[in-house]
Amino acid sequence: MIDPNFRLWTGSGALLNGGPYTWHFTDFDQRRLVSVTYCSPVPIPDEDHERLDATQDLCLAKLRKHIDDLETDVVRIFFSEPEGPITTSTSQDDDETMYVNNQLPIELHIPFPVKTIRFDSMTELDRMGPNVDLVTYAGVPTADGPAADTKAAFKYWFVSNGMYRKWYELQLWARLPRDHPHIVPFDAVVLDHVRGGVIGFTNVYIPGGTLKETDATVRPFRLSWFQQLLSVVDDLNYRYGIMHQDIAARNLVIDEKDNLRIFDFNFSSRISEYYDPHRDDMKGVIFTLYEILTLDEQYRQVPHAERDTAALLLQQWEKHPDVKLDSEVHEFRKVLDDWLEERKTREFKKVGTWLQWPLMPEPPLRPAPVYGLDGAVTGTEMRPAVVLMRRQLIQLNEPYLNWERPASYQLRDVLKN
């Protein structure tokens, strides 16, 4: 289930002079937007920025308290005392829900066939994090009989925040070889079954947990796994021109054949452009091995630009007593040091196998209301737009994909039964 600390996200706010003060929150668990309006008994001066900012925390605390008790059609809550009661609204006038105006699959420009599946063909099994679900869907029957169901991780966007990054990740991951022994395979592009646009993608799900979830206190960490990590990082950097930029135990899994595989390209970038040297994969490898051996994660709290790999390499690494290894620490360090020395002799040289893809195109056209002088809708016209207001879609009788779902505690009850 989604970590409660990451469940709610503040997208925007509307702080009127003298009040009321409204904040719009996205609930990643229920995939819904709820606006919270604080009607302060005493107006806050416009110049008192600290108190104005504090209204966000007040609204967030109020929503956290009531979020699982709200009816599914509630779009806004109001309160005037931090510990007082709330009132609710289901009016479309109070609905600030926006959905992404998604591109059609042709805009991906992937130069080879890619499997596509519809959103409504998937069954949710778990919520792995904001905008990431564990799902299953029926396989395609063959001449030999029915195909087994596919279990996959579904990464998606239903709000525009993060949409560009996930579109970029889709483009990158889809172009990586699916038969690479140390990369989790891309699976399919997911389409909105109502409007036909691209809303996300799936990658093959590998059970057993990440190296973060089942660390070396649970299963011994193997020297061969570390060597496989170095190999796939070299392939990404030199063969495909990709810097992963988020090497960490949480992004590494061990498959059923005991091979290490890397996934999650959310922060990845082409080395030829947009590459952040502070997130260099060599730094990621160094800190990842150090954390696996020592269980010391203090450096994860340090900004990337301030992480000093040279100083860390000069230290004597002490294995944590609970960590299990199939080789001595000095053997891991020798493999690492040899790799770092070898990397010094290589340079990033663009070759024909480096991955390329187009930027995200301009947003597609969507119907927009045309208003008369009296404020009434007199017709519609097609305009480009990144997002679609739900209340406008309803007003125009336009179809839309309803992203909302029951709260996770209700999902647990359904799965149990």
Side-chain angles (χ1 to χ4, degrees), residues 76 95 126 215 217 233 345 361 413 417:
R76 184 172 299 212
D95 187 6
D126 198 359
D215 61 29
T217 65
V233 168
T345 67
D413 294 340
N417 294 325

Side-chain angles (χ1 to χ4, degrees), residues 341-354:
E341 283 299 315
E342 194 268 340
R343 293 268 301 201
K344 291 178 182 178
T345 67
R346 304 180 70 177
E347 61 181 16
F348 297 129
K349 186 176 181 180
K350 190 172 183 178
V351 295
T353 54
W354 277 30

Side-chain angles (χ1 to χ4, degrees), residues 31 35 43 70 97 152 222 231 241-242 250 278-279 287 294 308 322 333 366 377 390 408:
R31 289 197 302 233
S35 300
L70 298 177
T97 300
R222 301 181 184 179
S231 173
I242 298 299
R250 67 179 181 277
H278 297 306
R279 301 188 71 121
F287 283 104
T294 67
D308 190 343
D322 295 336
R333 279 299 305 268
R366 54 86 169 167
V377 175
R390 182 168 66 180
S408 55

Side-chain angles (χ1 to χ4, degrees), residues 65-362:
K65 181 177 180 180
H66 294 281
I67 185 66
D68 283 332
D69 299 323
L70 298 177
E71 296 295 330
T72 56
D73 57 350
V74 169
V75 295
R76 184 172 299 212
I77 65 175
F78 302 83
F79 70 103
S80 56
E81 295 292 341
E83 302 302 325
I86 64 171
T87 58
T88 63
S89 171
T90 60
S91 170
Q92 285 186 23
D93 293 337
D94 290 320
D95 187 6
E96 299 295 332
T97 300
M98 293 183 291
Y99 298 134
V100 175
N101 188 22
N102 292 296
Q103 304 282 355
L104 293 175
I106 192 173
E107 297 293 348
L108 289 169
H109 297 291
I110 298 176
F112 47 81
V114 177
K115 180 171 66 174
T116 60
I117 56 176
R118 289 167 33 128
F119 176 74
D120 63 350
S121 72
M122 300 185 300
T123 300
E124 177 188 330
L125 300 178
D126 198 359
R127 300 170 191 179
M128 305 169 75
N131 295 329
V132 186
D133 295 343
L134 179 63
V135 301
T136 184
Y137 62 89
V140 178
T142 66
D144 299 325
D149 288 352
T150 297
K151 185 181 286 189
F154 171 39
K155 302 190 76 170
Y156 55 90
W157 53 87
F158 67 99
V159 291
S160 58
N161 176 59
M163 171 185 64
Y164 295 96
R165 173 53 61 182
K166 284 189 171 61
W167 175 275
Y168 193 95
E169 183 181 17
L170 186 164
Q171 292 278 19
L172 185 164
W173 207 337
R175 287 167 167 78
L176 287 170
R178 302 187 191 183
D179 58 352
H180 194 291
H182 306 304
I183 297 175
V184 172
F186 183 88
D187 178 53
V189 172
V190 181
L191 304 180
D192 170 2
H193 59 279
V194 177
R195 300 178 70 91
V198 177
I199 60 174
F201 65 93
T202 57
N203 62 265
V204 173
Y205 175 71
I206 296 179
T210 68
L211 291 186
K212 172 66 175 176
E213 295 165 325
T214 56
D215 61 29
T217 65
V218 177
R219 57 182 173 188
F221 185 66
R222 301 181 184 179
L223 184 61
S224 61
W225 292 344
F226 182 58
Q227 291 168 324
Q228 290 172 356
L229 173 60
L230 302 183
S231 173
V232 71
V233 168
D234 281 347
D235 280 352
L236 288 171
N237 293 174
Y238 297 110
R239 182 180 298 180
Y240 306 119
I242 298 299
M243 191 67 64
H244 186 278
Q245 299 196 138
D246 197 21
I247 305 292
R250 67 179 181 277
N251 292 327
L252 303 170
V253 292
I254 306 301
D255 68 15
E256 67 282 357
K257 295 182 179 180
D258 266 343
N259 286 320
L260 177 142
R261 289 181 182 259
I262 194 169
F263 68 101
D264 199 349
F265 296 89
N266 189 48
F267 289 99
S268 300
S269 178
R270 291 193 290 244
I271 291 175
S272 58
E273 54 192 355
Y274 314 125
Y275 157 47
D276 181 359
H278 297 306
R279 301 188 71 121
D280 186 276
D281 286 348
M282 287 198 299
K283 290 180 67 173
V285 166
I286 293 168
F287 283 104
T288 297
L289 179 61
Y290 172 79
E291 290 166 0
I292 289 174
L293 300 181
T294 67
L295 301 186
D296 178 7
E297 296 187 351
Q298 62 175 312
Y299 295 100
R300 291 291 171 188
Q301 313 306 318
V302 178
H304 289 275
E306 300 175 18
R307 296 181 188 177
D308 190 343
T309 54
L312 183 62
L313 290 169
L314 290 175
Q315 295 180 19
Q316 185 72 28
W317 293 5
E318 296 292 338
K319 182 181 80 67
H320 190 281
D322 295 336
V323 167
K324 302 179 181 69
L325 305 172
D326 74 342
S327 303
E328 298 296 326
V329 170
H330 70 84
E331 295 179 75
F332 283 90
R333 279 299 305 268
K334 183 178 188 310
V335 170
L336 173 63
D337 293 340
D338 289 346
W339 180 72
L340 294 174
E341 283 299 315
E342 194 268 340
R343 293 268 301 201
K344 291 178 182 178
T345 67
R346 304 180 70 177
E347 61 181 16
F348 297 129
K349 186 176 181 180
K350 190 172 183 178
V351 295
T353 54
W354 277 30
L355 303 182
Q356 298 291 326
W357 57 88
L359 294 176
M360 192 171 192
E362 292 299 313

